[in-house]
């Protein structure tokens, strides 16, 4: 059976929401349409892509792998349509793009390649800085634009931005951790477990804010600036963590499994966007770059 782009869209909506009703609402179709599409898709690939749990559905190991391919397919389609609708020489010259650490690690190599193909007359220089330096360099003219975690910005009176991705933060655990099998999990429950804290791109400050609103704090056993170290520690049952879907991978470097699950508490998303100074506004062609980057980043992000 031939797989359609619509099946990919329904599959990704279901992977992101974990419930047929929510996926149907997102795709503006009936629940039966989503169910039938999933059944046909699983028949085509020859294996189950989801497993049921107390709150709905979650990806199987095969589903995690298939989700990465599905994102590549839908992202490529979106970028192809965007490319066909615009002139290839809309942007030319020299653009200095600032990025923060998370962007550099998880998005930048693929973004550079995609921008180079879409805008062949544009020379893109990418400069990694911390958030405070990115803001200052934008205001003083040393950068033209920046890709950053916009939820961390402070100088809103002088900067404006376009949000391109809202990446949910979820609990990561070893597959056998008790929190993975509880009917529901709150931050108060997580506070009773050993915690692995990532120290990257002001993440510690973000953790302090949303835990602090509930009068809680994580029981930190390990702290690291390396996402791979955090991933490995979780996979080796040394603790749990809460991180965004953008940085999630289902396997550690040692080949051990990591699972996610939603929390009942309201945990803020990690919002990524393009930032520029209010004074002067966007350069010519800036809207074309925003549209292209939005499609590219959505396609490059992981379920």
């Amino acid at each position: 059976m031939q797989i359609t782009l619509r099946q990919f869209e329904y599959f990704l909506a279901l992977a992101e929401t974990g419930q047929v009703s929510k996926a149907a609402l997102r795709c503006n179709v009936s629940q039966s349409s989503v169910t039938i599409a999933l059944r046909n898709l699983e028949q085509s690939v020859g294996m189950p892509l989801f497993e049921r749990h107390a709150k709905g559905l979650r990806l199987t190991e095969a589903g995690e792998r298939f989700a990465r391919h599905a994102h590549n397919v839908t992202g490529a389609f979106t970028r192809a349509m965007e490319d066909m609708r615009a002139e290839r020489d809309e942007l030319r010259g020299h653009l200095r793009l600032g990025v923060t650490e998370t962007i550099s690690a998880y998005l930048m190599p693929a973004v550079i390649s995609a921008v180079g193909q879409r805008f062949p007359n544009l020379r893109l220089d990418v400069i990694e800085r911390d958030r405070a330096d990115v803001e200052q360099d934008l205001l003083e003219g040393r950068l033209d634009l920046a890709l950053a975690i916009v939820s961390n910005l402070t100088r809103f009176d002088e900067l404006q931005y376009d949000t391109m991705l809202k990446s949910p933060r979820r609990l990561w655990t070893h597959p056998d951790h008790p929190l993975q099998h509880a009917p529901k999990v709150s931050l108060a429950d997580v506070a009773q477990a050993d915690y692995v804290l990532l120290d990257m791109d002001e993440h510690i400050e973000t953790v302090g804010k949303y835990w602090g609103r509930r009068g809680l704090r994580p029981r930190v056993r390990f702290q690291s600036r390396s996402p791979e170290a955090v991933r490995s520690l979780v996979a080796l049952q040394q603790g749990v963590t809460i991180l965004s879907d953008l940085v999630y991978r289902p396997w550690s470097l040692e080949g051990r499994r990591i699972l996610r699950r939603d929390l009942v508490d309201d945990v803020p998303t990690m919002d990524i966007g393009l930032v520029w100074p209010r004074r002067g506004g966007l350069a010519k062609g800036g809207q074309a770059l925003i549209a292209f980057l939005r499609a590219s980043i959505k396609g490059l992000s992981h379920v």
Side-chain angles (χ1 to χ4, degrees), residues 133-144:
D133 288 340
V134 163
E135 292 188 22
Q136 191 65 33
D137 287 349
L138 282 170
L139 295 173
E140 295 183 1
R142 290 186 291 272
L143 292 173
D144 302 304

Side-chain angles (χ1 to χ4, degrees), residues 196-200 203-204 223-227 230 241 243:
V196 185
L197 181 62
L198 178 64
D199 179 9
M200 183 181 185
H203 180 66
I204 291 179
Q223 180 173 321
S224 174
R225 294 185 60 84
S226 166
V230 171
T241 195
L243 288 172

